Amino acid sequence: MIAKVTPLIRLPSSTDVFDYFVPDELRQSVLPGSLVRIPFRASKVAGVVLDVAPAQERTGFRARPVDSVIGSEPVLTASQLALIQEFSAYYFVTRGSVARLMVPERPERASPRSPSLVRRGRGGGNDVPFSVSSSQLLQLKKAAASISSARFLTIQDVSSFVWLLLHLIKQGEQSQLLVLVPTLDMIDGIAGSVHKMCSDELAVIHSRLSLGQYWNAYQNIMAGSARVILSTRQGVFLPIRENSHIIFFDATSEDFKQYDQHPKYDSRIVASWLASITESKLLFASSSEIIAEQRTTPLLFPPARGQKLSVSLVDMKNEMSRRDFSAIAGATLEAIQETLSQHKKAVVIALREEPPLNPPLGKGGRRGGVSVKSILEILTQELKNCKVSASEEQFQVLVATPRVLEGLKLSSERSSLGLLVCASIEPMLAIPDYRSPERVYYRLKHWQMLAQELGFGRIILQSYSPDSLAVRAFAYGEFEAFAADELASRRELSYPPFSKLVKLSYRGKDGKAAGELKRRLPNATGPFTDHSNRQSLLIKLPPNAQLPDLWDVSPDWAIDRDPENVL
């Protein structure tokens, strides 16, 4: 018998599986998914069996024998093996490279399965207080009863989402509950409440776990003793059981796409395969409707509390004509002062820490642009006898990047927060990509949801592009007009959802490589230099067209299917 094994060591992504002979005494224990020790080069390493065959298919060499089996149970389930096949075919990567991505590294002294691996901080919870008003309970329960028929869920605050998780845990109709969260900060915020309800059945998965922590959590998930799993995007590779629930929080986040390593997978796509393979429920929860060719009808989940959050737009394009122009408009400054007079605090967010190069001159001859640093300077000068700070510790007016909202770090200030100011959204709008307006809308709606959770009463958006349909969709609720315009533009230019895209980025040193590959791919455009200063090609095809065979493309080319950014 021959085992198809991929070594679990750092190897080129093009490396697949190797044939190993299975001695008679190991035939009963070497199965697909088994962890084995194999001779590889001059040493013995761990590997995982992806398949077995009655005989060696390739001749001309003698297969080396499997040395031993590690552990009494396979480390990959049948569902994971099926997922490897789907992933490999879609992303043009070998099964071996997918398995190496999926299988956790086994510590030398693996301990028995432990009930819980949750620790305080960094995945252990920050004791963020989530609450639901009694007046909202009936509406929440009614909405929760409709979850079984929903695919998309629009949430208005984090407390209602946490309430839904706790409700599903209590009902216990699913084998396991896998909740995918885009950032570790937000996992930190949510984990504490979930931990209080099911500490012995909770696993938290993220890249900062130690080898032992990750291995034990993985084993608990495989055994079914971890019934609730909070994870970043890598959670789509976990050994969840059939009839589970897979829920994305902030499903429109770019962080669900792997963008800095190969393979560049989208965990939302991978989750759809996982849900199909395991016959599990898949739910995408976000703070906004999504732009799609076929209009989706999301289930609108009620807020946990009844307070209203108003949104207003300040036209910075008009402000720029004023002689005393400032990055903080006069109307915004008045709103901050009014908030302070009500003994409430204001938060101003800017996308940049430092000002851009050669920013325009502002009030008083200051050359600051829109940044945390420049706004701190402006507000410190304008607001006398007021604590204007870039620190979350003590402030009356806090100036920071949007990250201050993530993980609900300001939850201890919930009762005292009054005004949230978005100083400018233009750096995101200016990104030369067909999805930039869509991303802007999703981020603004996400910040609105976090502001609702943190108890803000008002949001002011300062925009130098007040006529942008993305800005108007957020400020005035004109989503349908925005979505229709976006879809019409994409149809005309043949962008998704009216096409499928594959981006190929060259990582080698051959100056002629891009031109040579383009001649082989008649549907490729380019080459162009992307944001990473790499020569790239873009394949654009109709949705039902067959992609060209990219399996024989040099490993020097990174293949990005469904790229988040074209450039």
Side-chain angles (χ1 to χ4, degrees):
M1 187 169 78
I2 295 295
K4 309 285 186 178
V5 183
T6 188
L8 297 177
I9 57 175
R10 187 181 295 275
L11 292 169
S13 59
S14 57
T15 304
D16 194 7
V17 295
F18 297 89
D19 287 353
Y20 283 88
F21 172 71
V22 181
D24 290 343
E25 64 271 19
L26 297 179
R27 286 191 172 217
Q28 298 301 315
S29 52
V30 173
L31 306 169
S34 292
L35 192 62
V36 294
R37 189 166 301 282
I38 52 171
F40 188 75
R41 295 171 182 160
S43 59
K44 292 184 178 179
V45 301
V48 64
V49 179
L50 298 188
D51 202 358
V52 293
Q56 189 172 340
E57 297 173 3
R58 292 176 292 174
T59 59
F61 71 96
R62 183 178 180 181
R64 302 169 76 180
V66 173
D67 182 75
S68 60
V69 177
I70 304 172
S72 58
E73 300 290 338
V75 292
L76 292 176
T77 64
S79 295
Q80 289 174 293
L81 292 167
L83 184 64
I84 286 173
Q85 294 281 12
E86 290 272 8
F87 191 109
S88 171
Y90 190 83
Y91 286 111
F92 296 99
V93 291
T94 63
R95 291 185 306 153
S97 66
V98 185
R100 293 191 293 274
L101 186 68
M102 188 177 288
V103 178
E105 184 175 350
R106 190 178 193 269
E108 292 186 7
R109 295 185 178 181
S111 59
R113 296 184 184 118
S114 57
S116 176
L117 293 171
V118 177
R119 301 191 176 193
R120 313 308 287 169
R122 283 300 172 214
N126 280 335
D127 289 328
V128 174
F130 297 107
S131 61
V132 174
S133 65
S134 57
S135 61
Q136 295 295 101
L137 273 175
L138 186 60
Q139 293 185 56
L140 287 166
K141 290 178 179 178
K142 184 178 179 180
S146 302
I147 285 292
S148 60
S149 59
R151 176 83 168 200
F152 298 94
L153 180 70
T154 301
I155 52 177
Q156 300 176 63
D157 54 30
V158 185
S159 284
S160 60
F161 180 77
V162 172
W163 179 91
L164 174 61
L165 296 184
L166 300 181
H167 174 79
L168 292 173
I169 293 168
K170 186 176 180 181
Q171 295 294 312
E173 295 178 0
Q174 65 283 336
S175 299
Q176 289 173 311
L177 179 63
L178 171 60
V179 184
L180 294 155
V181 183
T183 65
L184 188 49
D185 283 338
M186 190 54 72
I187 284 183
D188 240 8
I190 293 174
S193 293
V194 179
H195 177 265
K196 290 176 184 177
M197 184 169 184
C198 55
S199 60
D200 291 340
E201 297 180 312
L202 173 64
V204 178
I205 298 291
H206 52 78
S207 58
R208 296 182 185 177
L209 295 180
S210 67
L211 286 182
Q213 290 173 331
Y214 192 92
W215 175 262
N216 287 341
Y218 185 93
Q219 292 295 307
N220 289 337
I221 294 166
M222 177 171 279
S225 56
R227 293 185 55 248
V228 182
I229 306 133
L230 297 179
S231 178
T232 49
R233 61 175 174 253
Q234 67 197 92
V236 293
F237 300 121
L238 294 171
I240 66 167
R241 300 194 157 197
E242 292 185 355
N243 190 34
S244 292
H245 280 190
I246 304 169
I247 302 178
F248 280 83
F249 173 79
D250 188 19
T252 58
S253 172
E254 297 173 56
D255 287 311
F256 285 122
K257 176 70 187 280
Q258 171 67 277
Y259 56 87
D260 57 349
Q261 294 180 2
H262 188 70
K264 296 182 177 182
Y265 66 90
D266 190 321
S267 58
R268 290 157 294 202
I269 294 174
V270 180
S272 68
W273 304 329
L274 180 63
S276 177
I277 292 168
T278 59
E279 299 181 346
S280 295
K281 168 72 179 176
L282 179 60
L283 185 65
F284 296 98
S286 64
S287 52
S288 62
E289 291 189 68
I290 63 171
I291 294 177
E293 181 179 7
Q294 295 183 340
R295 179 74 183 274
T296 60
T297 305
L299 173 63
L300 180 60
F301 213 66
R305 296 174 295 279
Q307 80 269 19
K308 296 294 184 179
L309 176 63
S310 67
V311 177
S312 55
L313 177 64
V314 172
D315 183 346
M316 296 300 288
K317 188 177 180 181
N318 184 55
E319 285 284 321
M320 288 181 72
S321 63
R322 298 169 60 101
R323 292 184 61 185
D324 60 348
F325 168 71
S326 168
I328 295 296
T332 303
L333 186 60
E334 289 177 7
I336 293 173
Q337 291 169 332
E338 181 184 352
T339 299
L340 295 173
S341 71
Q342 296 169 351
H343 305 291
K344 293 284 188 177
K345 297 182 178 183
V347 176
V348 183
I349 58 175
L351 297 179
R352 298 185 177 107
E353 288 276 6
E354 297 289 334
L357 295 175
N358 300 316
L361 285 173
K363 185 176 179 180
R366 290 190 297 264
R367 189 178 290 277
V370 182
S371 66
V372 171
K373 185 176 181 179
S374 62
I375 292 173
L376 270 172
E377 181 184 345
I378 293 168
L379 293 180
T380 299
Q381 182 169 325
E382 295 288 347
L383 301 172
K384 307 300 182 183
N385 302 316
C386 174
K387 178 66 173 177
V388 180
S389 174
S391 170
E392 306 155 31
E393 299 302 320
Q394 287 187 335
F395 68 91
Q396 289 174 284
V397 178
L398 173 64
V399 185
T401 63
R403 188 172 179 184
V404 75
L405 301 176
E406 297 292 341
L408 305 173
K409 299 180 183 70
L410 297 176
S411 58
S412 61
E413 303 282 354
R414 181 178 275 136
S415 62
S416 62
L417 297 173
L419 174 66
L420 176 65
V421 177
C422 300
S424 170
I425 199 67
E426 272 58 39
M428 287 183 66
L429 270 177
I431 296 172
D433 189 82
Y434 77 96
R435 288 194 60 212
S436 292
E438 180 184 12
R439 290 194 194 96
V440 164
Y441 175 72
Y442 290 157
R443 283 301 89 193
L444 288 171
K445 292 296 290 184
H446 178 63
W447 296 337
Q448 180 181 3
M449 177 193 68
L450 297 179
Q452 176 85 14
E453 178 62 37
L454 291 168
F456 285 94
R458 183 183 180 188
I459 295 178
I460 291 178
L461 170 62
Q462 297 190 153
S463 177
Y464 297 81
S465 310
D467 296 325
S468 161
L469 292 182
V471 170
R472 293 185 63 86
F474 171 71
Y476 304 128
E478 298 173 358
F479 174 78
E480 291 188 11
F482 169 53
D485 183 77
E486 281 292 299
L487 290 171
S489 175
R490 295 182 193 186
R491 186 188 295 274
E492 181 181 357
L493 298 173
S494 296
Y495 277 117
F498 306 104
S499 69
K500 50 188 174 186
L501 299 180
V502 180
K503 179 182 173 183
L504 299 102
S505 299
Y506 187 59
R507 300 173 292 187
K509 298 179 180 179
D510 184 354
K512 299 179 181 180
E516 292 174 355
L517 182 59
K518 183 182 178 180
R519 285 191 288 272
R520 292 174 46 197
L521 303 172
N523 297 103
T525 59
F528 58 90
T529 303
D530 66 11
H531 70 283
S532 300
N533 203 32
R534 290 174 175 169
Q535 288 289 294
S536 299
L537 300 173
L538 186 68
I539 299 174
K540 185 189 294 185
L541 292 171
N544 297 323
Q546 184 174 355
L547 283 173
D549 187 357
L550 301 176
W551 283 101
D552 61 347
V553 170
S554 165
D556 288 333
W557 286 93
I559 300 174
D560 186 0
R561 188 161 181 180
D562 313 306
E564 277 289 327
N565 295 287
V566 172
L567 296 181

